[in-house]
Amino acid sequence: MRAALVLGLAVIYVPLLVVLLNSVNSDPTFGWPPSGFTLEWWSRAAGNAGVLSALWTSLVAGLSATAVALVLGTMAAFALQRHRFFGRDTVSLLIILPIALPGIVTGIALNNAFRTILGLNLGLLTAIIAHATFCIVVVFNNVVARLRRLGGSLEEASADLGANGVQTFRLVTFPMLRSALLAGGLLAFALSFDEIIVTTFTLGAGQQTLPIWILDNLFRPNQAPVVNVVAAVLVVVSTVPVYLAQRLSGDTTSGGRL
């Protein structure tokens, strides 16, 4: 079992380590083992207009989709966890379904809906909406899990002491949910920032997110070193939110310490 574990982790993480090493490999053809190390490719990436533009697009799309997901995912979680109504299980399935569907199916469906049904031109807004459809799921799951664990006794006690609904949410419910919301938001941002398939079908022509820029420049010899730098940055950017979200989701307290 230990050997299988080591082998599985090696298959996942050794290629990522190679990307990190190639980002400082002085050989532009990425000869192995590296003949030397340099930060030239990092300086080129920092001044690359295409990279900076794609990074800005990814940040705007990720932060916007995360904001939408936090609002709608939290509202859906409260509605489904705190209330009983006909079709409740069906609604829950419909909320979770987008993250289970193949990305190409979601991308084609949204592309057709935007262009054919709604008559919208593809652009950053349509990409944000598309990203929000699956980002909502991770926020919803985090908030539902926290609500199930907390129950409603503290909110009932707050009401018994004379607090109205707004005061109870602000002083009792929200502090207990903060870590779950932060974890869900971090995961949602990481998903949006790395998304490529759905983005390809919903982002307007002439616009690129960072993953799409990598795909378009991966096999261009003059851009290959810069691509490795951008990929190395993506590894870090993706790892940090997931790590923080895992730590926050595993918090067994009420979240009042945050």
Side-chain angles (χ1 to χ4, degrees):
M1 292 296 291
R2 291 179 181 176
L5 174 62
V6 171
L7 179 60
L9 292 176
V11 169
I12 296 172
Y13 291 105
V14 168
L16 296 179
L17 179 61
V18 172
V19 170
L20 293 172
L21 289 176
N22 278 336
S23 70
V24 293
N25 190 345
S26 60
D27 186 352
T29 62
F30 308 125
W32 196 263
S35 57
F37 298 98
T38 179
L39 294 177
E40 177 185 354
W41 315 132
W42 286 80
S43 62
R44 288 191 185 183
N48 189 298
V51 171
L52 297 177
S53 176
L55 174 61
W56 175 252
T57 302
S58 289
L59 289 174
V60 172
L63 292 173
S64 300
T66 299
V68 173
L70 283 171
V71 174
L72 298 183
T74 302
M75 292 172 65
F78 270 92
L80 293 173
Q81 181 59 30
R82 294 294 173 82
H83 302 280
R84 300 292 183 269
F85 53 88
F86 177 76
R88 175 173 171 268
D89 292 338
T90 301
V91 174
S92 178
L93 174 63
L94 291 175
I95 293 174
I96 297 174
L97 190 60
I99 205 168
L101 290 174
I104 191 168
V105 174
T106 302
I108 291 173
L110 289 171
N111 180 284
N112 290 333
F114 289 141
R115 295 189 303 105
T116 305
I117 300 176
L118 299 177
L120 298 176
N121 294 322
L122 298 182
L124 183 57
L125 176 61
T126 54
I128 291 171
I129 296 172
H131 286 199
T133 60
F134 54 82
C135 288
I136 287 173
V137 180
V138 293
V139 175
F140 172 79
N141 285 338
N142 273 274
V143 176
V144 163
R146 180 59 58 85
L147 290 175
R148 287 174 180 170
R149 191 163 64 191
L150 293 176
S153 57
L154 292 178
E155 292 167 311
E156 292 172 358
S158 174
D160 288 341
L161 293 173
N164 58 35
V166 174
Q167 289 173 324
T168 298
F169 179 82
R170 181 171 63 88
L171 299 176
V172 178
T173 308
F174 180 71
M176 295 189 298
L177 287 178
R178 279 185 297 187
S179 59
L181 291 172
L182 183 56
L186 289 170
L187 284 174
F189 178 79
L191 281 175
S192 174
F193 198 86
D194 290 343
E195 170 58 38
I196 186 169
I197 299 176
V198 174
T199 308
T200 301
F201 286 92
T202 57
L203 190 63
Q207 294 180 302
Q208 291 179 315
T209 59
L210 213 52
I212 291 179
W213 184 91
I214 290 176
L215 181 64
D216 289 346
N217 291 273
L218 184 60
F219 300 107
R220 295 181 182 179
N222 61 324
Q223 291 283 34
V226 177
V227 168
N228 274 274
V229 173
V230 176
V233 172
L234 277 178
V235 170
V236 176
V237 169
S238 302
T239 301
V240 172
V242 173
Y243 171 76
L244 293 175
Q246 183 186 38
R247 293 295 300 272
L248 291 168
S249 296
D251 180 18
T252 57
T253 68
S254 66
R257 293 182 299 172
L258 293 179

